[in-house]
Amino acid sequence: MAPAAVERCAAKLNLFLDVVGRRADGYHELVTVFHEIDLADRLSGVVTGDGDVTLEVHGGGAAVPMDANNLAARAARLLLRDAGAARGIALRLEKTLPVGAGLGGGSADAAAALRLVDRLLDLRTPSERLHALAAELGSDVPFLLRGGTCLARGRGERLERVPVGPPPRFLVLLPGFGISTAAVYAALPRELPPPVDPAPLLRALASGDVRALAASTHNALLPAALAVEPRLAQVLDAVRDQLGPGVQLTGSGSALFLPFRGDPPDVGDLPHGTTARVV
Ligand code: C5P
């Protein structure tokens, strides 16, 4: 039987996200704190003999790219080509993470595809090379390849692990719509607001003080995301009324999160189409 393997494609939250500059390549300089969470897609693969990459997608709805543009298929093809491997791979993606949520779903699938192809074909790609391929695929892919909790700079690819005390739990709220990341970045004001210091958030993470954590989350993309998607303002107002001002946006949205410890907060009546997960 052909070798087969399975990978979890874990999502991320941006506990802190500041935009500190515009780059000549059209991207933005970020200071962000990524935190891996226990929400995931599942990617499995089987080695094939013909050098081709195929992908079957289950779940996730119409917004998930089914073809060669799917980031998992692109990642597998990139690593096979980079390694000069003559064999191919048949991928099967079970999609649970919503698209356009700021949870890094597509990037998580790509990171898992790099790990899967490397393992299945026993390529033993050096970790710096895998990191460079991940950065080619997208700004969030290097972190999702590594996991854990990291402070990131550059486009998001310059990673530094940060200490985490007693791990916080999170309520994650998923509005029933996605938001385009490119549209949110394009809606940033010409003059960026002054930088925000991530130190209070990093201290709260290290000490495990969940109140301080909720008070020090930050997302410089929030005003632009609200401008791009007016439905987000309705959801955010409603959940902040119910759960307090500590509810924050992850990435370019649409998902929101609230750190907590102990029993999960009572979400009450969520706005139409919004669902909650506890991680
Ligand atoms: O890198 P990725 O493909 O995930 O980025 C999606 C879009 O988000 C980019 O096309 C760009 O518009 C924006 N982006 C950015 N600066 C970053 C990360 C993403 O402008 N650091």
Side-chain angles (χ1 to χ4, degrees):
M1 226 169 83
V6 182
E7 285 281 343
R8 262 172 66 77
C9 323
K12 55 84 178 168
L13 296 175
N14 297 89
L15 302 181
F16 181 96
L17 194 167
D18 204 25
V19 181
V20 297
R22 285 199 169 79
R23 300 159 45 126
D25 62 6
Y27 282 84
H28 294 78
E29 281 292 315
L30 305 181
V31 176
T32 186
V33 176
F34 286 119
H35 182 71
E36 178 188 340
I37 55 168
D38 192 17
L39 282 182
D41 293 336
R42 183 177 184 273
L43 184 71
S44 52
V46 185
V47 175
T48 58
D50 59 3
D52 211 21
V53 172
T54 60
L55 174 72
E56 228 179 79
V57 183
H58 296 265
V64 183
M66 299 283 177
D67 52 10
N69 283 327
N70 185 290
L71 213 50
R74 280 173 46 202
R77 209 169 298 114
L78 185 66
L79 179 53
L80 286 172
R81 198 179 308 134
D82 190 72
R87 313 195 58 190
I89 194 150
L91 295 172
R92 177 190 160 96
L93 177 61
E94 285 157 53
K95 197 78 200 152
T96 317
L97 298 171
V99 175
L103 295 169
S107 303
D109 302 341
L114 292 177
R115 287 194 296 267
L116 188 78
V117 170
D118 189 65
R119 188 149 63 93
L120 265 179
L121 295 179
D122 197 24
L123 299 175
R124 299 174 194 220
T125 313
S127 59
E128 312 79 70
R129 185 69 201 141
L130 272 187
H131 181 94
L133 296 176
E136 258 182 62
L137 290 159
S139 306
D140 296 339
V141 186
F143 168 72
L144 290 162
L145 189 61
R146 185 181 294 197
T149 307
C150 288
L151 176 65
R153 295 178 194 276
R155 273 171 60 203
E157 83 287 9
R158 280 167 40 210
L159 300 170
E160 197 185 312
R161 276 204 193 285
V162 295
V164 180
R169 299 179 72 197
F170 294 92
L171 177 68
V172 180
L173 299 157
L174 307 170
F177 50 83
I179 302 181
S180 154
T181 300
V184 170
Y185 277 99
L188 284 172
R190 184 179 293 275
E191 185 158 348
L192 296 171
V196 176
D197 187 356
L201 179 113
L202 294 172
R203 272 199 302 274
L205 258 184
S207 69
D209 181 342
V210 81
R211 272 173 198 248
L213 185 66
S216 56
T217 62
H218 166 69
N219 191 332
L221 296 178
L222 180 59
L226 293 171
V228 166
E229 179 46 86
R231 286 176 293 178
L232 182 64
Q234 290 169 10
V235 175
L236 185 64
D237 286 350
V239 297
R240 279 188 171 166
D241 276 352
Q242 174 76 21
L243 297 162
V247 176
Q248 185 59 274
L249 184 78
T250 174
S252 52
S254 60
L256 304 165
F257 66 93
L258 177 69
F260 70 92
R261 194 171 301 295
D263 292 333
D266 182 6
V267 294
D269 285 335
L270 290 172
H272 181 71
T274 302
T275 53
R277 302 272 186 289
V278 170
V279 295

